[in-house]
Amino acid sequence: MSATPAPEGTPGAVPWEELVTVALLGTDRRTPSWLPPGREAAPRALLDLAAVETVRRRAGLLPAPAGARPEPAEPDPRPVLPAAAARRLTMLLSERPGSGDGRRGSAPDLMELLPQWLSLACERGFAPPPEALPALLDAARGRTDLRPAALAFAGPRALWLARLNPHWRFVLRATPGGGSGPPPKEPEHGARLWQEGLFAERVALLTALRARQPHAARDLLASTWATERAEDRLMFLDSLRTGLEPADEPFLEQALLDRSRTVRATAAELLSALPGSALAGRMAARAAACVAVDRTRREPTIVVEAPHECDPGMERDGVVPRPPAGRGERSWWLGQLVETAQLGSWTARLGGRTPQEITALPVADDWRCELHRAWCRAAVRQRDTDWSRALLGAPSAPEAGGPGAVSLAERARLLSALPPAERAGWVAGFVSAHGLSEAFQLLGVCEVPWTAPLGRAVVDALNIARDAGSYPWSFSGVMGLAERCLDPAQASHLDMLAAIPDEPEDASPGAGGYWAEAFQRLTTTLRLRATMREELGMP
């Protein structure tokens, strides 16, 4: 059957969004001028136009006047992806979120496996098949969490395609100099981009240069600092977190005089993370004047005398004078002083005690939570493992409360300062002692794949919850984490859990079937992850 001719005056290409809108509404309800009239002619012409536009979209090009043929993409020197792995990539990219009736059954969630596959492919150093690039860039466009790994895997051809299709413009923004040419490899090559580029390009340039040459990035930022907008200064200053070094201190001290309060606060935060900085010394002296050990009591006790005012010197050093709603001024000022002071200064101030001994001391007048919260923030900011261990306490402690860890969020941040193996061991102990009801945030900071002790602790806790007749959907988040994070080698140990158990009388209706289905999905996912590794040539 020949295609229905478009009426005179039809544009060369109708925007895809317009085609979709008309298709959803129906040509009976909406017949644009670029469609012929009639109950049969209009739908047929709409489908013809959609077919043509689909071909254009799949080709990675938008309709445009004929021009010079584009230069070929830069060659990709990486080895070609193995055939089995290429087929797997096509399968993962073809998955769409929200498909089905909402119940996952025992089938793996391919959308959640795609980030892991991309990470493995980047680790192996393979190049993607050219025909997979449009679908890969579309997936990265819809999911920002995929972009770093997707662009690293896509290689130079992603930049080449992005210059031809505005839907993939995020690739240009993520690549220094992406809109005008290859990424600058030396500071002088990026000078023009820094002066004339878009904001996103300048951020990308500064971030990339900071990772390679911290001093050059700092000098580039200092060259235009006085003329930048406040919101831009804040974003640029945040890039100095990468490769923070003592040589940054003079620039950051100048930033303490900035007109913007948020810029001053960020500069103070960076300076407090620099051991031996002048700001950390000033804050330590102020904090030491507020906290001491009272030896006249029956047992040594920490006493606190919070600041009575926020003087100009404190404001210059980043202390925010006005507290948020519900916070007292003095406790607000005290917390900022303590979290900015170097943690190493407390040992000398509090009688040569270790962090464990300091956090174990009683604190008078209900200042304990405020003081320990500030120490938690300082331990995370300064990446201090000794203080993090002391504030976490033992994972088996009642209510899992360490001496100062007063919330799950603080415990998760403290764990991030510990080495990966120690972090996993602490969380395994927590899960063994307290189950999974509060473990989700803590599991999220553990390195993937989980260590064998952590994996066993999680599986045992899930099994205990199942045998107890617990409400199964309460553990769906942990089960999803287990699918992504358990070591695939443990799949063979989980088969026995996939059987439907006998349900206790007080169990949730249908809980046994759900648990069996969830464990089947877990074992299937782990085996699929193992297969993915084999296809990529990994042990």
Side-chain angles (χ1 to χ4, degrees):
M1 183 174 63
S2 60
T4 302
E8 187 176 350
T10 300
V14 179
W16 179 257
E17 291 76 9
E18 179 70 10
L19 291 170
V20 172
T21 300
V22 175
L24 289 173
L25 293 175
T27 54
D28 286 343
R29 297 177 60 188
R30 180 170 179 173
T31 305
S33 60
W34 41 266
L35 284 178
R39 294 179 59 85
E40 293 186 5
R44 190 175 300 172
L46 176 65
L47 292 176
D48 288 342
L49 288 170
V52 172
E53 184 62 19
T54 297
V55 172
R56 289 192 179 105
R57 285 163 59 84
R58 288 180 177 174
L61 291 170
L62 292 179
R69 179 175 297 180
E71 292 293 325
E74 292 184 36
D76 195 331
R78 297 175 295 177
V80 178
L81 194 66
R87 289 192 294 272
R88 181 71 59 193
L89 174 62
T90 301
M91 183 186 304
L92 295 174
L93 290 173
S94 65
E95 184 77 357
R96 291 290 181 268
S99 58
D101 59 1
R103 179 163 179 169
R104 290 179 55 193
S106 59
D109 187 343
L110 300 185
M111 288 294 293
E112 291 302 322
L113 290 177
L114 180 57
Q116 194 166 114
W117 188 97
L118 289 171
S119 178
L120 294 174
C122 290
E123 183 181 337
R124 293 289 291 158
F126 286 119
E131 63 272 15
L133 285 173
L136 179 62
L137 294 180
D138 281 341
R141 180 190 176 205
R143 288 182 57 179
T144 56
D145 63 305
L146 284 179
R147 290 183 184 179
L151 296 186
F153 176 60
R157 291 180 176 137
L159 192 60
W160 185 84
L161 284 171
R163 294 194 184 107
L164 302 173
N165 189 338
H167 291 303
W168 301 328
R169 192 163 292 165
F170 68 90
V171 180
L172 306 180
R173 294 194 295 267
T175 306
S180 56
K185 294 183 172 60
E186 300 297 337
E188 57 268 19
H189 295 166
R192 181 174 179 182
L193 177 63
W194 179 252
Q195 294 289 341
E196 303 174 4
L198 299 174
F199 172 70
E201 291 180 317
R202 299 177 75 207
V203 171
L205 169 64
L206 192 65
T207 302
L209 188 58
R210 181 69 178 179
R212 191 169 59 248
Q213 294 178 303
H215 66 281
R218 183 181 62 249
D219 293 344
L220 193 66
L221 178 56
S223 67
T224 60
W225 180 260
T227 61
E228 303 288 356
R229 300 183 304 167
E231 56 267 35
D232 293 352
R233 292 198 302 276
L234 181 62
M235 289 292 293
F236 293 146
L237 192 63
D238 201 59
S239 70
L240 298 187
R241 296 182 191 276
T242 302
L244 188 65
E245 58 184 4
D248 295 326
E249 184 173 0
F251 177 79
L252 293 173
E253 281 282 346
Q254 285 297 115
L256 290 175
L257 303 174
D258 197 88
R259 301 183 301 276
S260 167
R261 178 174 59 82
T262 53
V263 171
R264 294 196 304 271
T266 302
E269 181 184 346
L270 293 172
L271 282 167
S272 69
L274 275 176
S277 69
L279 177 133
R282 295 192 296 269
M283 288 300 204
R286 293 181 181 118
C290 299
V291 180
V293 173
D294 185 354
R295 296 178 176 82
T296 64
R297 303 186 182 222
R298 179 175 300 176
E299 61 176 332
T301 301
I302 293 179
V303 292
V304 174
E305 181 66 28
H308 291 273
E309 64 172 344
C310 182
D311 59 47
M314 290 167 61
E315 284 197 59
R316 177 190 178 277
D317 285 345
V319 175
V320 179
R322 297 190 62 181
R327 288 290 302 274
E329 284 186 334
R330 297 182 65 197
S331 64
W332 172 245
W333 298 331
L334 174 73
Q336 293 180 80
L337 296 181
V338 173
E339 74 178 82
T340 311
Q342 282 293 317
L343 288 166
S345 64
W346 292 108
T347 295
R349 171 62 179 165
L350 301 178
R353 292 177 171 86
T354 65
Q356 286 80 3
E357 292 169 337
I358 292 172
T359 54
L361 289 173
V363 182
D365 302 326
D366 295 326
W367 281 105
R368 181 177 182 271
C369 283
E370 189 66 50
L371 184 60
H372 283 207
R373 283 174 179 167
W375 276 335
C376 284
R377 295 192 294 272
V380 173
R381 181 182 296 182
Q382 298 171 34
R383 310 297 294 178
D384 192 301
T385 54
D386 290 336
W387 274 88
S388 294
R389 292 187 190 102
L391 291 161
L392 278 166
S396 58
E399 300 180 357
V406 294
S407 72
L408 281 172
E410 284 172 333
R411 276 174 246 163
R413 287 193 288 269
L414 288 169
L415 282 167
S416 67
L418 299 181
E422 184 178 355
R423 191 185 314 162
W426 196 96
V427 178
F430 178 96
V431 171
S432 298
H434 306 286
L436 294 167
S437 60
E438 293 187 333
F440 186 80
Q441 272 187 291
L442 307 180
L443 290 168
V445 301
C446 293
E447 194 174 60
V448 178
W450 288 338
T451 62
L454 177 56
R456 284 194 298 269
V458 171
V459 172
D460 288 347
L462 286 169
N463 195 23
I464 290 170
R466 180 188 66 166
D467 292 344
S470 298
Y471 193 64
W473 295 273
S474 300
F475 299 92
S476 58
V478 174
M479 190 67 79
L481 272 181
E483 292 172 22
R484 298 190 296 273
C485 303
L486 270 176
D487 190 332
Q490 299 189 31
S492 59
H493 304 302
L494 301 174
D495 289 329
M496 65 183 68
L497 300 177
I500 299 179
D502 296 330
E503 296 185 8
E505 293 183 1
D506 56 349
S508 303
Y514 173 86
W515 281 109
E517 188 177 83
F519 278 117
Q520 288 171 8
R521 183 171 63 247
L522 176 58
T523 55
T524 304
T525 302
L526 292 179
R527 290 195 169 99
L528 177 55
R529 285 174 52 205
T531 301
M532 284 165 35
R533 293 179 64 89
E534 292 172 4
E535 292 168 347
L536 288 164
M538 304 182 76

